[in-house]
Amino acid sequence: MDVDSIPQQTPEKIAQIDSADLVVGILSGVDLDGLLTLCDGLRALAGSPRTVVLQNVAIGGAASNSQAGDANSSVSLVPWSVLAPDPAASPIQSISTAYELLFAATQKLGARACCLIASQLENSTPDWICKLLNPLLSSEFDLVLPYFEPHKVHGLLNSSIVYPLTRCLYGKRIHNPLGPDVGVSRRLTQKLLGPNRNGGSAPTHPLASLTPGAVCGNMQICQVHAGTRIYPSMDWTNMSSLMAQVLGPIFLEMERWAACWQRTRGSAAVATFGDRISLPQETAELDLNRMIETFQLGVRDLQEIWSLVLPPATLFELRKLSRLAPDRVYMPDELWARIVYDFALAHRLRTINRDHLLRSMTPLYLAWVVSYAREFEIAGPMPVDQRIERLALAYEAAKPYFISRWRWPDRFNP
């Protein structure tokens, strides 16, 4: 996508700016006072970099440069309205569109780095964006990602699949590999937008491309403690579309970078800045019986699909689980990790329609969620990050299984 694709008046506004050091895109709900506070924080960055702020007029309203500062201010405000090409597009697709527009503006203005903010945080000030920018400017990192404090229930799709899978594949313990808030160097934007990216193939999803592209490109990555993210309410009875939207791009990136992650063994921490913040006690409750019913229904109705994806031993384990009393249903982490790997392989092989494949994974995911939640009920209070660490180690232990199936899929045909 080039800068001419940026909607409404944004290209004209950018054309009036000769160059910039930083480009900051704001998608989250920041009011005018918050925007002015953000501009003050950006002016306080070391070296007073010339910064262009793309403000989302659809959420926060527009602020003029005169409100942000005088004509000689180092911060320029440009309105943008980020809309995905398809009106029915998911929020994830809209964020990916925002990434493409942000990267295009960064290249157009010759900026050193860019930053996009899409989340809302509890007990934070808008100048926390500077925390994402400082490592790009002072230490020349290429990718800066937030480290949101893990919730027991909220953000569980990231904790149960996205984080441990990304960590295991690419060998970096990046807790929020999909951001969506990120700081990106010009060098990384060039890699993602350039004609020779990964053999010349276009990125399918900028949100999913960032971490694999940075790791496999031997670029510098760090995390910044960002506190507590405010998550949208989760409809646990309608997870199928979310599973497909999130996992589809991740599985596609696995194909692109297979040569890289097959050489990776184990995992290592990345540089992390800032202090952790303690979370309040979570009060969200899950309807575990409803989840178990969904799992049992899946075992009954999805056998034809699952038999194309999962080994006989796994299918046998699932049938056993479905016959247990609700309070005894427990899916081990090791079984769950292998299931995720098997679905990733089936996605690569196009065993069935990819969207149908990923949606059929939902009852299995809910069975793991039930098992995870029951642990907290039985064991009492335990640190969430310790529980997620145990899951991540199960993914790492099962990686040889996945590599074998990936390299020689014909040796086993369910």
Side-chain angles (χ1 to χ4, degrees), residues 172-190:
K172 301 295 182 183
R173 297 172 190 170
I174 301 169
H175 289 261
N176 294 93
L178 294 184
D181 315 280
V182 297
V184 183
S185 71
R186 175 176 173 81
R187 187 164 71 122
L188 182 52
T189 65
Q190 288 174 328

Side-chain angles (χ1 to χ4, degrees), residues 43-325:
R43 291 191 199 93
L45 287 169
S48 299
R50 297 163 300 163
T51 305
V52 172
V53 177
L54 305 177
Q55 54 173 132
N56 190 356
V57 296
I59 296 179
S64 66
N65 266 320
S66 62
Q67 291 172 307
D70 57 35
N72 296 319
S73 172
S74 61
V75 178
S76 300
L77 299 178
V78 175
W80 72 339
S81 178
V82 178
L83 299 173
D86 180 1
S90 68
I92 293 174
Q93 291 170 312
S94 296
I95 291 175
S96 281
T97 300
Y99 273 113
E100 293 178 338
L101 302 179
L102 180 69
F103 293 168
T106 301
Q107 293 296 310
K108 174 71 174 179
L109 296 171
R112 291 172 54 190
C114 61
C115 173
L116 186 135
I117 301 299
S119 298
Q120 296 187 45
L121 304 183
E122 292 181 355
N123 303 319
S124 70
T125 57
D127 62 357
W128 80 273
I129 298 173
C130 298
K131 297 178 182 179
L132 290 177
L133 290 169
N134 274 321
L136 297 168
L137 299 174
S138 60
S139 302
E140 298 196 0
F141 282 92
D142 294 291
L143 178 61
V144 185
L145 290 157
Y147 186 152
F148 297 118
E149 292 300 319
H151 289 252
K152 184 170 67 176
V153 174
H154 298 299
L156 196 52
L157 191 57
N158 176 73
S159 298
S160 62
I161 303 179
V162 179
Y163 162 61
L165 179 62
T166 303
R167 162 179 163 165
C168 176
L169 290 178
Y170 303 103
K172 301 295 182 183
R173 297 172 190 170
I174 301 169
H175 289 261
N176 294 93
L178 294 184
D181 315 280
V182 297
V184 183
S185 71
R186 175 176 173 81
R187 187 164 71 122
L188 182 52
T189 65
Q190 288 174 328
K191 183 178 183 64
L192 294 174
L193 292 177
N196 295 321
R197 53 183 173 258
N198 196 30
S201 56
T204 57
H205 209 293
L207 199 61
S209 302
L210 279 170
T211 296
V215 173
C216 298
N218 295 315
M219 295 189 175
Q220 298 299 310
I221 305 171
C222 70
Q223 301 177 125
V224 173
H225 284 295
T228 307
R229 183 183 180 193
I230 300 175
Y231 290 91
S233 58
M234 177 65 67
D235 181 4
W236 289 96
T237 63
N238 188 28
M239 283 289 300
S240 298
S241 60
L242 183 61
M243 295 284 287
Q245 292 165 18
V246 173
L247 297 184
I250 293 174
F251 288 170
L252 286 174
E253 290 300 318
M254 290 169 60
E255 294 184 49
R256 295 175 183 278
W257 301 103
C260 171
W261 57 256
Q262 289 185 69
R263 297 193 300 266
T264 303
R265 297 292 183 272
S267 64
V270 299
T272 304
F273 301 102
D275 299 320
R276 299 193 65 170
I277 299 175
S278 299
L279 291 181
Q281 185 73 25
E282 286 190 71
T283 58
E285 295 185 1
L286 301 177
D287 188 346
L288 301 187
N289 288 332
R290 178 75 174 271
M291 292 182 178
I292 291 173
E293 289 173 2
T294 301
F295 167 64
Q296 293 171 333
L297 188 64
V299 171
R300 189 185 73 191
D301 295 344
L302 296 175
Q303 281 293 312
E304 184 177 352
I305 292 177
W306 291 353
S307 65
L308 299 174
V309 177
L310 301 172
T314 298
L315 292 170
F316 177 72
E317 290 295 322
L318 294 175
R319 284 193 290 267
K320 282 200 330 184
L321 281 178
S322 70
R323 292 193 290 266
L324 294 176

